[in-house]
Structures are given as C-alpha cells and as structure tokens.
Amino acid sequence: MIEAAGYAPTIVEYRKTGWTRDKLGDLLAAMDAKPRDVLREKGTPAAELGLLDPSVPDEAILEAMVEHPILVNRPIVVTPKGTKLCRPSEAVLDLLDRQPDQFTKEDGEVVRL
C-alpha cells in the first residue's frame, strides 16, 4: 500500500536481523505503546513462554521480544507523521501524505480509498 502510494519504503526484516532492545524501546516510545500492545500471539512461542498472563511485566515481554523477534506484531511503520503498528494494513493511510488511487491486498480484498 505504501509503494502503491508512490513511496519507496525501507523495509527492515527484523525476523531475520532481530531487534536491539534500544531500537524496540524507541519504536514503542514513539507509538506511546507498551510491549504487550505489539505482542504477536498466533504462530509464536508467546503462550509457551508464559507471556500471555496479564501479570507478566513489560520488561519480561520486551526481553522475550529481543530474544524471539517473531513475538513482535508487524508491520510497524515509521514516517514523519508518526509511528504505528499498521494492522489492519489500512491503518498506514493515516501516516501517509498521499494515498494510492486504489489498492488490492494479497488476499484479493479491495481497499476503498
């Protein structure tokens, strides 16, 4: 959707490269979010690690996210207009100065703009 709007994004393959604690902390601060706000549950070891219990402290979740990058939900988009977890993908539109004329998601869903 970002490319369809005419932007050339820089994509960080964090599942391959991992996170630094500082980078992840900076992104969370920019979003005014807590680690639990971006914790990915499906298809991850979140339950096995006991991270779904509400009593687990933010610091423990953050440490687990650094150790297991897949625990971070995606995509997190950073633009001059802000930083945001863009799920659903249409949420990215709030961060763009221009929007695509039309967009069809990978699953065939047409996004009306």
Side-chain angles (χ1 to χ4, degrees):
M1 198 173 303
I2 295 169
E3 290 173 337
Y7 295 93
T10 300
I11 298 171
V12 177
E13 297 284 342
Y14 72 88
R15 289 177 56 190
K16 293 178 184 174
T17 62
W19 293 106
T20 65
R21 190 184 183 299
D22 288 344
K23 180 61 176 176
L24 190 52
D26 289 348
L27 288 170
L28 290 167
M31 292 188 291
D32 194 25
K34 300 206 177 285
R36 188 172 303 281
D37 297 333
V38 299
L39 177 62
R40 183 174 182 199
E41 298 178 15
K42 289 184 178 183
T44 75
E48 295 168 29
L49 296 170
L51 301 176
L52 304 183
D53 184 319
S55 67
V56 175
D58 288 345
E59 186 61 34
I61 296 172
L62 187 58
E63 287 177 20
M65 288 173 162
V66 171
E67 187 173 338
H68 305 277
I70 196 167
L71 290 170
V72 180
N73 214 338
R74 69 207 187 284
I76 296 174
V77 177
V78 179
T79 75
K81 292 180 94 174
T83 302
K84 185 177 193 176
L85 172 63
C86 292
R87 289 187 77 79
S89 58
E90 298 90 300
V92 75
L93 297 174
D94 295 338
L95 297 177
L96 303 178
D97 286 327
R98 58 185 182 269
Q99 298 183 2
D101 294 329
Q102 61 182 1
F103 186 77
T104 303
K105 294 184 181 184
E106 290 177 4
D107 65 2
E109 178 187 348
V110 176
V111 177
R112 305 281 178 219
L113 305 168

